[in-house]
């Protein structure tokens, strides 16, 4: 192997390590009597990506539609649940933004069929 290839590989490895150091994933999850919630934050430098789901785990028939809101992350919306009782929170990206820290406590309020439940989700 010639010197140029060695230098190229060292530089490539260095960039790979530096980009991996700037990435951090924090998963928040929690469960109430009727709902399980998970939100995953992937922080990449100043950019962030958020994904997650809300799942109905109650004993009554699966509701057709819910409304939700979460503190700390200022996220809210409404939508239909799938036949499996799951609603994806989708993917949202922002730049610049910050993710909550692992020790943050996020409180979610879920409303359905004239009922409501508060679910506290914490970092894993």
């Amino acid at each position: 192997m010639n010197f140029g290839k060695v230098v190229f590989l060292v530089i490539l490895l260095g960039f790979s390590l530096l980009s991996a150091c700037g990435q951090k994933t924090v998963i928040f999850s929690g469960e109430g009597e009727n709902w399980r919630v998970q939100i995953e934050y992937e922080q990449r430098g100043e950019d962030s990506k958020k994904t997650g789901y809300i799942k109905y785990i109650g004993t009554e028939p699966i509701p057709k539609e819910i409304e939700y809101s979460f503190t700390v992350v200022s996220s809210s919306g409404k939508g239909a649940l799938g036949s499996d009782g799951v609603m994806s929170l989708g993917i949202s990206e922002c730049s610049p933004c910050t993710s909550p820290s692992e020790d943050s406590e996020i409180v979610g309020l879920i409303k359905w069929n004239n009922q409501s439940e508060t679910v506290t989700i914490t970092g894993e």
Side-chain angles (χ1 to χ4, degrees):
M1 194 184 293
N2 68 27
F3 182 73
K5 288 182 181 179
V6 171
V7 170
F8 175 75
L9 288 174
V10 168
I11 290 172
L12 184 63
L13 180 62
F15 279 121
S16 296
L17 289 173
L18 286 175
S19 64
C21 292
Q23 186 171 335
K24 180 179 180 182
T25 300
V26 180
I27 298 173
F28 291 86
S29 63
E31 192 171 292
E33 185 176 328
N34 296 288
W35 301 96
R36 178 179 301 131
V37 179
Q38 180 173 312
I39 301 176
E40 181 176 318
Y41 291 89
E42 184 180 322
Q43 186 76 36
R44 299 173 305 238
E46 290 187 15
D47 298 335
S48 181
K49 181 172 82 170
K50 174 179 67 174
T51 59
Y53 68 85
I54 299 172
K55 180 176 182 158
Y56 182 68
I57 57 172
T59 57
E60 299 294 319
I62 296 171
K64 293 185 189 288
E65 193 169 276
I66 64 169
E67 291 182 40
Y68 64 89
S69 62
F70 297 103
T71 63
V72 178
V73 295
S74 301
S75 179
S76 62
K78 63 181 177 178
L81 297 173
S83 60
D84 58 356
V86 176
M87 183 177 81
S88 173
L89 295 177
I91 298 173
S92 60
E93 298 192 36
C94 59
S95 176
C97 63
T98 58
S99 299
S101 64
E102 295 95 351
D103 57 351
S104 294
E105 185 175 274
I106 300 171
V107 178
L109 176 63
I110 302 170
K111 296 179 182 180
W112 76 103
N113 300 343
N114 295 320
Q115 299 179 54
S116 66
E117 183 175 329
T118 301
V119 179
T120 302
I121 58 176
T122 56
E124 298 178 354

